[in-house]
Amino acid sequence: MPERWRATGATAPGQRTVGEPGTARIAVDLLGGDQAPAVVVDGALRACKADPALHLTLVGPADAADAVLAALKPGDRRRITTVPAPSDAVGAAVHAVAEGRADALVSAGDTRAVVLSSARELGRWPGIRRPALTAVLPTAAGRLVLLDVGSSVDPDEETLAWHARLGAAYASVVLRMPAPRVGLLTIGTEPGKGDRLRRALPAQLVDLPLPGGARYAGLVEGGDIVLGRAADVVVTDGFTGNVLLKGLETVYALSGPPSRNTDPPPRAALLLGVSGTVVVCHGAATGPDLAAGIALAADLHRRNSVAAIADLLSAQRGIE
């Protein structure tokens, strides 16, 4: 495991290629998703047309990449790089980030494959054994950070304590929340509610130093996530988080988000705890979902968000 905090892969700085200021070079896994590659081609086209400073590295079958090139104007085709990968497209895409040929990765492929490839190629931050997929949900009060939503389905206490730190840092840096409130998802707000993990963890979270001036706000239930009044960050295991996320997104797709005053966040999650920007979309993602995931990855890169999160966590650990 790397012993230093870093935002990019292990490649030495002299080996990296750097894009023009304001550009974002996103590696896209063309084989990721239930309807791949057609839906990924659709998402890539939407993203490319919406953002003239976007550069895409399309990783996967040559015919799928050719479909994107054929649909673009000649001048826009210069913003497309293709990497043939007939099988392990996600591995090749992660490798492009690790070598500095791309600034971020977007995939709707198998979550386990994305997480393992990213951790192996990019490296994990010190102390992180299991990276967390971190999503943002709309609430009646605004927005809420939920993690984990699919990476660690059977975490231990140490993993969830780290996820509390990661979620607090994400809320502070990306959503600019002052002193985020961190809650633990369980089946009731009374002390002692939940399984063994939820009964044991609150004692640790009460005394756990959290970055960004965050504080532990106690136990929360599913309804608190919709309302958004009890916590700004909610920590849970990847199994429960994934079930909850997909259920809420389906409800919101049918009836609308709980607040009409906030644009709905993208249906994509950032993998926190690895040294690079990795965005994971649902396997059932649509073209617009993929485009939103690509836009999220580009925005995170342009704002240097992953490096800022790493710096905040590193500084916070240094004063513990």
Side-chain angles (χ1 to χ4, degrees), residues 12-166:
Q15 295 175 279
R16 293 178 56 80
T17 57
V18 180
E20 294 293 326
T23 64
R25 304 169 302 161
I26 311 301
V28 179
D29 170 16
L30 289 173
L31 291 177
D34 298 343
Q35 305 299 321
V39 71
V40 188
V41 169
D42 180 29
L45 284 170
R46 291 172 182 267
C48 204
K49 292 175 180 178
D51 184 350
L54 185 68
H55 292 241
L56 298 182
T57 296
L58 304 179
V59 186
D63 56 347
D66 289 343
V68 177
L69 290 169
L72 291 173
K73 297 178 181 178
D76 289 333
R77 293 172 191 167
R78 292 174 295 182
R79 297 192 281 130
I80 304 295
T81 301
T82 61
V83 176
S87 55
D88 185 17
V90 67
V94 173
H95 193 61
V97 177
E99 287 193 327
R101 292 181 285 112
D103 301 312
L105 158 71
V106 174
S107 176
D110 179 76
T111 298
R112 178 178 172 82
V114 176
V115 173
L116 290 178
S117 284
S118 299
R120 181 178 62 250
E121 288 257 10
L122 303 177
R124 292 168 291 176
W125 291 340
I128 301 293
R129 291 191 298 114
R130 298 185 179 184
L133 278 173
T134 307
V136 177
L137 285 174
T139 72
R143 293 189 173 192
L144 176 144
V145 178
L146 177 66
L147 72 167
D148 179 33
V149 295
S151 177
S152 301
V153 297
D154 57 350
D156 56 15
E157 294 170 35
E158 181 184 1
T159 296
L160 287 191
W162 259 109
H163 289 182
R165 295 185 181 101
L166 292 170

